[in-house]
Amino acid sequence: MDKGHVLIVDDEREILASLEDVLLDEGYRVERAESGEIALQLVRAEVPDVILVDVWMPGIDGIKTLQAVKESNADIEVVLMSGHGNIETAVAATKLGAFNFIEKPLSIDAVLRIVASAVQARRDKELRANDVIDVMLDGASKNIERARRAIRKAARDLNPLLIAGERGTGKRFIARVVHKNGVKKEEGFRPVHCRSLFPAAETSEWENTLERLVPETFQGTVYLDGLEQLPLAERERFLVRFLEHITDSMRLMVSLDHMGTPKDKALVRTLSSKIGADVMHLPPLRERKEDILPLANRFLNECVEVGRHEKEFSEDVIVVLEDYDWPGNIAELKGAVTKAAFASQGSEIRVDHLPYAIREASDFEVSASRNDTPSNFNVARTQWERQYLAFHLEEHGWDINKTAQAVGMTEPALRRKIKAYNIEPVLPASTTLRETNQRSISKSVVLYGRGLHSGLKTGLIIEPLPPGSGIQFGNLTSPDTVRASADFVDGTNHATNLRNGAVTARTIEHLMSALHAYKISNILIKMSEEVPVMDGSAVEFCRLLEEAGIEDQREKSEDLWVDKIYEVGEPNDEKGYVRIEPADSFSVSYLIDYPKPIGKQTYLYEHKNALGFQEEIAPARTFGFVYELESLEKMGLAEGGRWDNVILVDKARVVNTQLRFPNEFVRHKILDVIGDLYLTGRPIRGKVTAERSGHRHNVALVKKLMEVHG
């Protein structure tokens, strides 16, 4: 008996092979893919019941695979696998649509139990689809009522059906609804994507490929998707060959992206005539405006059901939702409401919680920055609120804490308002700030590796952020973040770690040093708790930033110019000492004094640009001592650790590598200082002198600086 169709996605072949053997023995049909790209191609060709996917993979990672699968077919159950499993990550992954989350190393019993549950959930979804006109058809507008009548008519016959509509209008869902309410509902539904068949159509593999997807004995509904994606010259020939394979016992449905242009209309006429199909047009959301708010409320209630607090839209949000054209239709509306629900920490969803593209296109933000006559009460209220907050910010010298207290708001709420309303300080003409452009990266990039202390496969997804966002670390599957700030430091023993609620970011100092050297000020780093150690240096982080491209943003920010001497500890103290004093540039002078074979080493690094950092400091690797291994294991820090990614030293020599510099040890200590000091959030102008210090001293120095310069 066919217990279900499972697709396994992992870049480690050993895991693919072992899972495949186990699932085949249990009676499942199994396919395997070594990347997210291959997995998505397979899903287009034949829809599995369940996908097991590893979080960390090159190219399209597990999270993006999950999101892409759910966008194309929400009924597929996706189970994530990761070496960094915890309750918070599992809950967050579930909110993105994952069925479950399995921690590596895998328990076979747990895998079989979860796969069986996922297959059953998939079958339950299919049963619930009978006699249901779901969200894509929700609403009271005349256009959607016309679509409902067309569906009821199409379900009563076996004529070929052409479903035309813009992207996001629910063509695939409607095909399933017609099938589930039609005379072929007991015979099965086979989706076929044109792109998965087109290359084979030119070779001898054509019949074999199609026979695997749609056997001649099949008597249900065949749904052909993505015809408009084929080259125009090949479209007709492809369709003829496809129709030759469809028997009289099958019902054919075809979907077509249709924007209403003369070219689209001509294609619909040609196609419907060629296959003898009835045509069903699905209305875009902008042609059923009265349905937008009911749909948005429905999506919001679904978010509440998966664990969020009760929420409601503000009046401003309702205006924006109803005015926006929704080029992505219902799919875009659902995504926008979901993101806003997770971004809102309170009970009310405001305009600043909506995606940037929607806010940018709305009259709300444009009007909020003008001094002309308001077009309605909501715009007038917005203008007044902006002016009110701007006045109090100026009155309190842009002290966020004092201003928040004066207006009766929390600091985070005030900061969100400042960002949403684009309120900026008005500086006197005589004021001269020593400013530089804020910086981000040009595109998102991914890096894979293993954690230094956990030894588990981990990685980073680094994304650009708009001006004023700062450096933020986030969980892969949750909107929550922790800011790169001394206020959130959770540990400084062997590494610098951050924590904000459930969000943890460990061993951040090497990455932070590269961000400091390149003056990256606005960036989001998604990760599974621990930054990968790579080779123990900052070389790979520099390479990654250059691959992403450094982008100067129009907004300015002021470097942190040290105004006096700040120090932690006492000079010549064996427990460590660090100080910073005023200077026009940034430099670090460091002294270490260890037993041999390291001995006493000093180095002065004067930062001029990122290239100098790459050559002098970035290659220097972290180091550890053989005698520390036992104590590290007792602390839980070396379990599974990758000690080939550090310089390992015993009493006489370096035991596992060749040094990159004769004084590589002291250079790495400077690397740590540069990274830790960037917890100020701004490039430093000052002269640092350090002796025998560590992360604890560096973070304490940052806190002293921020008491004055925060």
Side-chain angles (χ1 to χ4, degrees):
M1 182 183 71
D2 182 5
K3 294 180 67 174
H5 179 193
V6 181
L7 171 62
I8 312 164
V9 191
D10 201 304
D11 61 324
E12 296 187 22
R13 294 184 179 181
E14 296 81 1
I15 292 178
L16 285 175
S18 60
L19 283 176
E20 182 180 37
D21 290 343
V22 169
L23 292 170
L24 286 173
D25 288 344
E26 291 295 317
Y28 293 98
R29 281 189 299 133
V30 181
E31 284 188 281
R32 48 194 279 182
E34 295 185 11
S35 70
E37 291 88 344
I38 296 174
L40 295 178
Q41 292 174 12
L42 293 174
V43 170
R44 294 188 192 105
E46 183 177 9
V47 178
D49 295 306
V50 180
I51 300 176
L52 291 170
V53 58
D54 184 50
V55 169
W56 291 114
M57 298 182 297
I60 300 178
D61 57 76
I63 297 299
K64 291 182 179 178
T65 301
L66 164 65
Q67 293 171 324
V69 166
K70 287 299 180 179
E71 287 174 3
S72 64
N73 191 327
D75 289 344
I76 299 174
E77 300 295 0
V78 181
V79 178
L80 292 177
M81 305 180 292
S82 174
H84 284 276
N86 56 48
I87 293 174
E88 293 80 11
T89 306
V91 170
T94 303
K95 290 175 182 176
L96 284 179
F99 179 80
N100 212 322
F101 191 97
I102 305 177
E103 184 177 0
K104 290 183 177 181
L106 299 173
S107 161
I108 297 303
D109 289 340
V111 169
L112 293 176
R113 183 178 67 254
I114 290 172
V115 168
S117 299
V119 170
Q120 186 59 50
R122 174 85 157 96
R123 304 279 163 82
D124 290 343
K125 285 181 181 178
E126 292 182 350
L127 291 174
R128 288 196 298 270
N130 287 316
D131 304 317
V132 173
I133 304 299
D134 211 303
V135 63
M136 296 297 180
L137 300 171
D138 216 357
S141 65
K142 292 181 180 180
N143 282 334
I144 203 63
E145 176 55 36
R146 190 178 298 115
R148 282 196 287 262
R149 288 197 300 269
I151 287 172
R152 287 192 286 269
K153 177 180 179 299
R156 291 194 294 266
D157 60 46
L158 288 173
N159 293 339
L161 179 65
L162 174 60
I163 305 172
E166 296 179 11
R167 291 188 178 183
T169 51
K171 296 184 291 297
R172 296 173 189 171
F173 173 79
I174 297 306
R176 285 185 176 274
V177 169
V178 172
H179 169 77
K180 287 297 183 180
N181 289 277
V183 295
K184 287 280 188 180
K185 62 183 179 182
E186 303 297 334
E187 304 296 339
F189 182 89
R190 290 291 177 100
V192 178
H193 198 281
C194 291
R195 275 295 186 189
S196 67
L197 292 176
F198 174 65
E202 300 302 311
T203 70
S204 59
E205 292 297 317
W206 158 256
E207 293 298 338
N208 291 336
T209 302
L210 189 53
E211 177 62 25
R212 179 172 64 87
L213 299 176
V214 188
E216 289 186 359
T217 56
F218 182 70
Q219 298 184 11
T221 298
V222 178
Y223 170 59
L224 185 62
D225 188 17
L227 185 64
E228 71 285 337
Q229 297 182 23
L230 295 184
L232 184 62
E234 305 292 343
R235 191 178 294 157
E236 184 172 346
R237 182 156 46 121
F238 172 85
L239 187 60
V240 168
R241 298 200 66 181
F242 181 79
L243 291 175
E244 289 174 352
H245 188 86
I246 302 299
T247 67
D248 292 338
S249 61
M250 304 175 191
R251 183 181 188 182
L252 177 63
M253 295 186 196
V254 181
S255 71
L256 197 66
D257 281 352
H258 182 275
M259 298 297 293
T261 65
K263 183 179 178 181
D264 288 339
K265 292 177 181 178
L267 178 58
V268 168
R269 287 194 298 269
T270 301
L271 183 57
S272 61
S273 173
K274 187 171 292 293
I275 66 177
D278 297 331
V279 180
M280 179 190 301
H281 289 278
L282 298 181
L285 198 52
R286 64 179 175 277
E287 294 180 5
R288 41 185 294 216
K289 290 278 191 180
E290 57 267 51
D291 296 336
I292 291 175
L293 185 56
L295 284 168
N297 280 320
R298 173 173 180 154
F299 296 140
L300 184 59
N301 290 334
E302 290 176 358
C303 294
V304 170
E305 288 174 4
V306 296
R308 310 296 293 185
H309 300 298
E310 293 289 337
K311 296 179 184 292
E312 63 180 2
F313 298 113
S314 71
E315 292 296 326
D316 294 329
V317 168
I318 293 173
V319 172
V320 171
L321 295 180
E322 292 182 337
D323 284 347
Y324 185 59
D325 274 347
W326 299 107
N329 293 292
I330 293 175
E332 185 183 12
L333 175 63
K334 183 173 183 179
V337 170
T338 302
K339 289 178 180 178
F342 291 146
S344 168
Q345 302 299 314
S347 61
E348 184 180 63
I349 293 179
R350 303 187 308 276
V351 173
D352 54 300
H353 295 138
L354 295 173
Y356 174 74
I358 296 173
R359 290 186 280 116
E360 185 180 41
S362 70
D363 288 337
F364 176 89
E365 283 207 338
V366 173
S367 297
S369 63
R370 292 177 179 169
N371 293 319
D372 52 3
T373 303
S375 58
N376 58 50
F377 173 76
N378 292 322
V379 173
R381 184 175 64 182
T382 298
Q383 289 187 2
W384 178 88
E385 187 176 34
R386 184 182 189 279
Q387 293 168 2
Y388 173 79
L389 294 177
F391 170 78
H392 280 280
L393 284 163
E394 292 297 328
E395 282 289 301
H396 293 88
W398 272 78
D399 186 310
I400 303 297
N401 181 267
K402 291 180 180 178
T403 305
Q405 292 178 6
V407 301
M409 299 175 68
T410 63
E411 281 192 49
L414 177 57
R415 292 183 188 278
R416 286 193 292 270
K417 288 288 187 183
I418 293 171
K419 184 176 179 181
Y421 294 153
N422 194 27
I423 305 173
E424 297 179 346
V426 178
L427 299 172
S430 61
T431 300
T432 302
L433 293 178
R434 292 168 286 190
E435 296 177 321
T436 56
N437 286 86
Q438 294 186 37
R439 279 185 170 181
S440 188
I441 54 177
S442 301
K443 65 178 182 179
S444 298
V445 285
V446 180
L447 181 69
Y448 300 89
R450 292 186 181 270
L452 171 63
H453 298 312
S454 68
L456 298 175
K457 187 164 66 171
T458 183
L460 306 172
I461 301 172
I462 305 183
E463 301 177 358
L465 285 179
S469 301
I471 299 169
Q472 300 182 39
F473 289 85
N475 188 281
L476 282 170
T477 52
S478 166
D480 299 327
T481 61
V482 55
R483 197 175 184 90
S485 164
D487 293 336
F488 296 105
V489 170
D490 187 53
T492 54
N493 191 13
H494 294 94
T496 299
N497 307 320
L498 304 174
R499 181 183 294 275
N500 181 26
V503 182
T504 300
R506 300 170 59 197
T507 60
I508 67 167
E509 60 274 7
H510 300 172
L511 174 57
M512 289 292 289
S513 70
L515 296 177
H516 195 172
Y518 284 86
K519 294 189 175 183
I520 304 294
S521 48
N522 301 302
I523 202 169
L524 173 61
I525 302 138
K526 294 181 179 179
M527 53 189 285
S528 286
E529 293 196 359
E530 189 172 8
V531 174
V533 68
M534 308 313 295
D535 66 347
S537 74
V539 168
E540 281 299 306
F541 300 122
C542 293
R543 181 199 61 77
L544 188 69
L545 294 175
E546 296 198 347
E547 175 191 335
I550 311 302
E551 185 174 277
D552 279 335
Q553 298 171 314
R554 295 178 62 183
E555 288 76 1
K556 304 283 188 179
S557 64
E558 186 182 7
D559 289 357
L560 196 159
W561 290 74
V562 176
D563 58 336
K564 62 180 182 179
I565 294 176
Y566 299 83
E567 55 188 349
V568 174
E570 298 290 336
N572 303 315
D573 190 339
E574 292 184 359
K575 295 181 179 180
Y577 168 72
V578 61
R579 67 178 257 166
I580 189 167
E581 59 190 276
D584 289 334
S585 60
F586 178 60
S587 65
V588 182
S589 174
Y590 203 103
L591 163 71
I592 60 173
D593 190 2
Y594 285 104
K596 291 184 177 181
I598 296 178
K600 182 178 289 189
Q601 295 184 2
T602 61
Y603 193 75
L604 169 63
Y605 170 68
E606 298 182 85
H607 181 72
K608 296 181 176 62
N609 50 43
L611 179 61
F613 173 80
Q614 282 186 52
E615 294 176 348
E616 292 185 60
I617 300 299
R621 294 163 292 175
T622 190
F623 58 94
F625 300 91
V626 173
Y627 64 80
E628 288 184 322
L629 288 177
E630 183 177 355
S631 62
L632 287 171
E633 288 173 352
K634 290 179 179 178
M635 294 166 58
L637 293 178
E639 296 178 0
R642 293 290 303 276
W643 287 107
D644 55 330
N645 288 337
V646 302
I647 303 171
L648 195 57
V649 183
D650 66 9
K651 293 182 178 180
R653 61 189 175 91
V654 173
V655 299
N656 67 329
T657 187
Q658 296 292 320
L659 293 180
R660 294 174 177 173
F661 308 100
N663 55 359
E664 187 170 353
F665 302 98
V666 69
R667 293 188 193 222
H668 185 82
K669 299 296 285 187
I670 292 174
L671 177 73
D672 286 344
V673 170
I674 295 171
D676 287 339
L677 287 187
Y678 209 36
L679 291 170
T680 60
R682 288 182 283 168
I684 301 287
R685 298 294 183 97
K687 178 183 176 182
V688 179
T689 303
E691 301 173 0
R692 308 175 184 86
S693 60
H695 297 294
R696 174 176 61 86
H697 303 86
N698 301 337
V699 172
L701 182 64
V702 168
K703 289 182 176 180
K704 286 194 173 188
L705 282 168
M706 297 312 291
E707 288 176 1
V708 176
H709 297 273

